[in-house]
Amino acid sequence: MASSNVDALFRPFQLKSLSLKNRIVMAPMTRSFSPSGVPGDNVAAYYRRRAEQEVGLILSEGTTIDRPAARNEPNIPFFHGEAALAGWQHVIDGVHEAGGRMGPQIWHVGSVASFLTDWVQDVPVESPSGLVAPGQPRGEAMSEEAIADTLDAYARAAADAKRLGFDTVEIHAAHGYLIDQFFWAATNQRSDRYGGATLKERSRFAAEVVKSVRDAVGPDLPIILRVSQWKQQDFDVRLANTPDEMTDWLAPLVEAGADILHCSQRRFWEPEYPELDGPEGLNFAGWAKKLTGAPTISVGSVGLSGDFMGAFSGESSTPASLEKLVDRMERDEFDLIAVGRALLSDPAWVKKVHARDETSLTDFTKEALTELY
Ligand SMILES: Cc1cc2nc3c(=O)[nH]c(=O)nc-3n(C[C@H](O)[C@H](O)[C@H](O)COP(=O)(O)O)c2cc1C
């Protein structure tokens, strides 16, 4: 890693009741270490270790709302029910004792099956139109009643996050899961008010989720909304092909109450509309901030040589320069940067970067996925 001045990453950040000591966010990463949906002491210790070593904001692994088919792996944690919430209480208390800040990422997988296990829910899978990808049926189309119940389930999870003392809540609306299946025309063919020919119309479900979460947490707790152009079903899909389409997509969600947009890319340095501002142009988070005025989080291969989907097929990555990241953050292109695998394999990654202890940064290897440390 070439040495660069990393001060831009270590400026404080303040929004509503959220106060962060630096700009580095631990990206949400499913770990599947919560038997029966309950995060135990090992999960609490895993997050606490990152809080102890200077991570500014921790976003939890995806943790599911109270809908029967919300998860697609057996050891994904619930964010409902007494036992799971007691586990999360232990998590947030440990993070706070270590001086950290944290929000749960609340999640419903829609009709996406896990690519890591053969496990399937013993209840019907649900999605906007009973599809998982273009022309690929999976599960049932949700009734209006199922949608209303799902909105309530998001609200209850958010209210519980606040009650337990979490500092923010992130809604997972990315990567081809339930909310993203409403955005995507290929998986949303509904003829009621949750469907439609335009992205703006297909954003209605997400806007209602955000509104119900806002009603549940009150005005001061920041709500983060995670979105992506790409889908795990197809990396090349783009919801918004122009800035105007991006405005139609994201502005109503900010209007509905999303405070921070978490713009998921696999490589943060890739420009979103290079035809408009060149090969070094604004990335997704940069455009989202420019078009909506909301603060944004960027993400994707920070500090590592390869992108994250390779991790699931066993690929390793070596440490990479932070120079391009620092340049973009010095220009305030986006406000916060999320780091996934580098923090998964090394709980001390932020501390080492801050101390410019570059020689001790380690490779990411597939072994990091097999245990919690
Ligand atoms: C093991 C693993 C699990 C992940 N689980 C989630 C998840 O639950 N929710 C989510 O929004 N993204 C998830 N992601 C994506 C990460 O949040 C992040 O966007 C991605 O890893 C890119 O960041 P990186 O290149 O720094 O690893 C996961 C990534 C990995 C490697």
Side-chain angles (χ1 to χ4, degrees):
M1 189 177 102
S3 179
S4 52
N5 182 339
V6 292
D7 292 353
L9 310 183
F10 290 90
R11 293 171 293 165
F13 175 83
Q14 170 84 45
L15 186 77
K16 294 187 168 175
S17 59
L18 181 68
S19 195
L20 304 179
K21 61 181 162 226
N22 63 45
R23 304 297 180 105
I24 302 174
V25 177
M26 179 173 175
M29 281 177 289
T30 293
R31 301 309 314 270
S32 298
F33 279 93
S34 299
S36 309
V38 178
D41 289 349
N42 54 343
V43 174
Y46 161 78
Y47 287 117
R48 185 184 175 125
R49 262 193 293 283
R50 274 78 187 161
E52 280 166 349
Q53 304 196 73
E54 292 194 39
V55 175
L57 174 66
I58 296 171
L59 293 173
S60 80
E61 59 204 288
T63 168
T64 53
I65 61 166
D66 188 9
R67 278 292 292 171
R71 63 181 187 166
N72 63 4
E73 284 180 36
N75 296 324
I76 287 175
F78 296 134
F79 208 81
H80 58 87
E82 218 172 298
L85 292 175
W88 284 116
Q89 182 75 72
H90 187 42
V91 170
I92 186 59
D93 289 349
V95 166
H96 281 164
E97 276 163 26
R101 297 284 178 271
M102 181 169 186
Q105 185 191 53
I106 55 175
W107 187 27
H108 185 314
V109 299
S111 57
V112 172
S114 167
F115 55 87
L116 297 173
T117 85
D118 294 333
W119 184 85
V120 281
Q121 297 95 322
D122 54 7
V123 290
V125 166
E126 60 185 5
S127 63
S129 301
L131 296 166
V132 63
Q136 210 178 305
R138 186 161 194 267
E140 294 178 350
M142 292 168 82
S143 63
E144 292 240 358
E145 195 187 353
I147 289 180
D149 190 71
T150 304
L151 294 172
D152 278 354
Y154 277 108
R156 287 198 304 277
D160 282 331
K162 184 177 176 187
R163 181 173 58 79
L164 265 41
F166 282 94
D167 306 286
T168 179
V169 60
E170 174 166 285
I171 301 165
H172 193 346
H175 304 174
Y177 293 112
L178 182 69
I179 298 177
D180 205 13
Q181 293 184 338
F182 276 88
F183 290 141
W184 191 16
T187 46
N188 181 352
Q189 302 185 341
R190 299 178 71 95
S191 51
D192 64 3
R193 63 204 184 92
Y194 294 104
T198 65
L199 190 46
K200 197 170 190 167
E201 291 166 300
R202 297 190 306 275
S203 295
R204 179 190 292 269
F205 175 69
E208 291 189 7
V209 171
V210 173
K211 276 192 201 124
S212 63
V213 166
R214 172 59 68 211
D215 289 348
V217 300
D220 291 334
L221 194 88
I223 297 171
I224 305 174
L225 184 72
R226 192 170 219 215
V227 287
S228 63
Q229 296 263 35
W230 64 271
K231 322 283 156 234
Q232 61 192 289
Q233 295 91 323
D234 183 348
F235 292 139
D236 296 328
V237 167
R238 299 178 82 201
L239 296 174
N241 286 303
T242 62
D244 282 349
E245 284 179 359
M246 191 180 281
T247 303
D248 271 359
W249 175 27
L250 300 179
L253 304 175
V254 171
E255 175 90 353
D259 296 293
I260 301 176
L261 297 172
H262 187 171
C263 301
S264 173
Q265 281 185 272
R266 291 184 295 142
R267 294 169 283 266
F268 76 87
W269 59 87
E270 289 183 348
E272 193 58 42
Y273 301 117
E275 65 281 11
L276 299 179
D277 57 2
E280 303 290 320
L282 298 180
N283 72 7
F284 179 20
W287 276 101
K289 178 173 170 153
K290 178 179 160 131
L291 295 170
T292 66
T296 57
I297 308 176
S298 188
V299 64
S301 303
V302 170
L304 288 175
S305 58
D307 84 52
F308 88 100
M309 288 312 291
F312 296 109
S313 50
E315 277 174 30
S316 301
S317 287
T318 53
S321 165
L322 294 178
E323 225 164 322
K324 281 185 176 170
L325 174 67
V326 170
D327 282 352
R328 285 177 188 257
M329 292 207 78
E330 280 176 349
R331 293 197 296 269
D332 287 322
E333 178 177 333
F334 40 82
D335 300 86
L336 299 164
I337 185 68
V339 177
R341 288 158 302 144
L343 264 171
L344 193 152
S345 55
D346 186 356
W349 187 86
V350 179
K351 203 173 176 177
K352 289 177 181 174
V353 167
H354 201 183
R356 310 270 204 89
D357 186 6
E358 288 139 21
T359 50
S360 65
L361 293 175
T362 50
D363 291 359
F364 171 84
T365 63
K366 64 180 187 324
E367 284 70 38
L369 298 175
T370 59
E371 50 180 312
L372 280 184
Y373 53 78

